[in-house]
Amino acid sequence: MSKLNWGMIGGGEGSQIGPAHRLGAGLDGLFAFTAGALDHRPDEGRAYGQRLGLAADRSYGDWREMLEGETGREDRIDLVTVATPNATHFEITRAYLMAGFHVLCEKPMTMTVAEGEEIVGLARETGRICAVNYGYTGYSLVRHMRAMVARGDLGAIRLVKAEFAHGHHADAADADNPRVRWRYDPAQAGVSAQFADCGIHALHMASFVIGQQAESLSADTVSCIASRQLEDDAMVNLRFDGGAVGRLWTSSIAIGRQHGLTLQVFGEKGGLRWSQEQPNQLYWMPVGQNLQTIERGQAGLSPEADRTSRVTVGHAEGMPLAFANIYADLAEAIRARKENRDPDPAATLYPRAEDGLRSMAAVFAVAESGKAQGAWTDARPPMFR
């Protein structure tokens, strides 16, 4: 089976996210890294791409040059990953969808709800895949949680509690650090900082696992470091369309927390708990019984978990492998379209443009509710109301 051609925009030398994408895309041998525009500095981007093994004529200076160069090729890329600053996602994703490319966009997909609705409409109109990298849903046991909820192991879901809290922006003296400063600048980050950066991961994972979407929310947001224009801590109450209640805390000033993405799901028959920092264990307590530890890779898990478990039980799997599961899903979806067949049902769980749109609607709802001192606010994008 020949490899699909893959290209990347952004994710250049020193990037936080670029290596994880390159590891994830290449892990299973499903994609060949064949094109890139990796840096906003054209010469540096071309040079770095060639050091990574790209041919000189496919190591581009910017995304527009890459779009022009790839559009006319018989061996053009099958998928492009957009890993550029947030404010550029919409323009680049839109251009590549219109040119007929499949796209995996880093979150947030857009900066506004209207832009998100345009991307959803464009993906539907062109028939192209537009995925959004909520990559933590690629973890094997997160998918097993989803399968347990779907098959009724927990009964009706009553409550979901999600957290994504870290302390890496807690030092007020770090205010001028360019890697931190832009996140709290409305001109670069939009209407939200911490919720738009981390909270949407927690919200998407909650929705992914319980199979329900946020319908309304009430938020308390605060800038604990007074010089910041946007929030560095938020507590959000949620009502989901399937009847579940949600509690979500996200923070960047929680000193002592490292990554901090955790999810707990409570149903009428039992409860589940999972943490990204210990991703190979899922804690399950059926009502009236003892606490059980489910290990990634053990026998008897769901097809969704088995498909995304890569090494034997007891060995650690981490974030690049979760990303690899998203890329494996996309490879299967792209091949199925090429071959005019239905994809493997277990490979249809990658986050879509609709998920990116719902997240952006929630971002604006949190900002609105926070300003209104917690007033309940519709969390749905207009096209889904």
Side-chain angles (χ1 to χ4, degrees):
M1 182 172 63
S2 61
K3 294 183 180 181
L4 297 168
N5 289 328
W6 173 64
M8 189 172 194
I9 302 169
E13 191 166 16
S15 163
Q16 179 181 1
I17 204 68
H21 278 285
R22 288 188 287 273
L23 287 167
L27 185 66
D28 295 310
L30 300 174
F31 288 98
F33 183 31
T34 54
L38 303 180
D39 200 295
H40 68 280
R41 301 163 297 177
D43 291 342
E44 284 81 353
R46 291 189 185 98
Y48 185 55
Q50 290 176 59
R51 290 200 299 276
L52 292 176
L54 295 180
D57 66 334
R58 300 185 84 173
S59 188
Y60 299 99
D62 61 46
W63 68 266
R64 292 181 178 86
E65 180 185 320
M66 180 168 155
L67 179 61
E68 181 179 358
E70 292 297 308
T71 297
R73 298 183 68 105
E74 290 187 6
D75 62 343
R76 74 186 209 160
I77 53 174
D78 296 288
L79 174 71
V80 61
T81 292
V82 179
T84 55
N86 296 357
T88 65
H89 291 177
F90 169 69
E91 181 182 17
I92 298 172
T93 297
R94 181 179 184 275
Y96 276 79
L97 287 173
M98 290 180 67
F101 293 94
H102 301 296
V103 178
L104 171 60
C105 183
E106 262 300 330
K107 60 82 196 170
M109 183 177 73
T110 62
M111 296 288 282
T112 70
V113 175
E115 288 176 349
E117 290 190 331
E118 183 173 347
I119 293 297
V120 168
L122 190 57
R124 292 174 177 178
E125 178 184 333
T126 61
R128 300 294 88 184
I129 293 168
C130 182
V132 185
N133 191 42
Y134 295 110
Y136 301 112
T137 57
Y139 276 107
S140 177
L141 289 180
V142 172
R143 296 194 170 189
H144 187 60
M145 292 175 78
R146 176 188 172 100
M148 290 179 70
V149 170
R151 70 192 185 194
D153 292 7
L154 282 76
I157 302 303
R158 293 169 171 167
L159 172 67
V160 57
K161 181 175 182 287
E163 295 183 2
F164 198 158
H166 64 82
H168 301 301
H169 301 164
D171 189 351
D174 209 25
D176 289 329
N177 181 338
R179 294 178 67 90
V180 174
R181 184 180 60 233
W182 74 267
R183 299 175 184 275
Y184 302 93
D185 178 5
Q188 299 181 72
V191 299
S192 170
Q194 180 60 18
F195 186 82
D197 187 30
C198 295
I200 57 175
H201 273 300
L203 177 57
H204 176 263
M205 183 175 286
S207 292
F208 177 83
V209 167
I210 70 173
Q212 300 180 34
Q213 300 298 331
E215 197 166 58
S216 61
L217 60 80
S218 169
D220 180 20
T221 62
V222 63
S223 298
C224 292
I225 295 178
S227 62
R228 291 173 174 164
Q229 298 181 64
L230 298 174
E231 89 288 347
D232 51 24
D233 188 276
M235 180 66 77
V236 184
N237 294 310
L238 298 142
R239 296 290 187 270
F240 290 90
D241 58 9
V245 173
R247 310 286 186 235
L248 190 157
W249 173 49
T250 186
S251 182
S252 64
I253 52 84
I255 296 172
R257 297 287 291 263
Q258 293 300 321
H259 187 269
L261 177 58
T262 64
L263 186 70
Q264 295 175 269
V265 182
F266 304 101
E268 60 185 359
K269 296 180 182 179
L272 291 167
R273 174 167 53 89
W274 179 87
S275 172
Q276 198 273 154
E277 293 181 42
Q278 291 84 38
N280 294 293
Q281 288 80 40
L282 171 62
Y283 298 98
W284 161 233
M285 188 164 182
V287 66
Q289 299 183 37
N290 294 327
L291 181 67
Q292 302 173 22
T293 301
I294 298 173
E295 295 280 349
R296 183 210 51 77
Q298 73 181 44
L301 297 185
S302 60
E304 293 88 340
D306 290 342
R307 181 181 178 276
T308 51
S309 185
R310 298 167 177 281
V311 296
T312 54
V313 63
H315 296 82
E317 286 190 6
M319 186 259 281
L321 282 81
F323 279 31
N325 288 330
I326 302 293
Y327 277 99
D329 290 346
L330 291 171
E332 167 64 8
I334 292 169
R335 289 193 185 281
R337 293 183 184 217
K338 285 175 174 281
E339 298 164 7
N340 195 29
R341 60 173 174 82
D342 292 330
D344 178 351
T348 60
L349 300 182
Y350 59 89
R352 290 162 168 77
E354 288 83 354
D355 298 303
L357 169 59
R358 290 189 178 98
S359 292
M360 187 49 54
V363 165
F364 275 83
V366 165
E368 180 182 343
S369 178
K371 289 179 181 178
Q373 298 184 325
W376 281 91
T377 305
D378 198 322
R380 300 168 297 174
M383 72 184 302
F384 293 153
R385 293 179 185 175

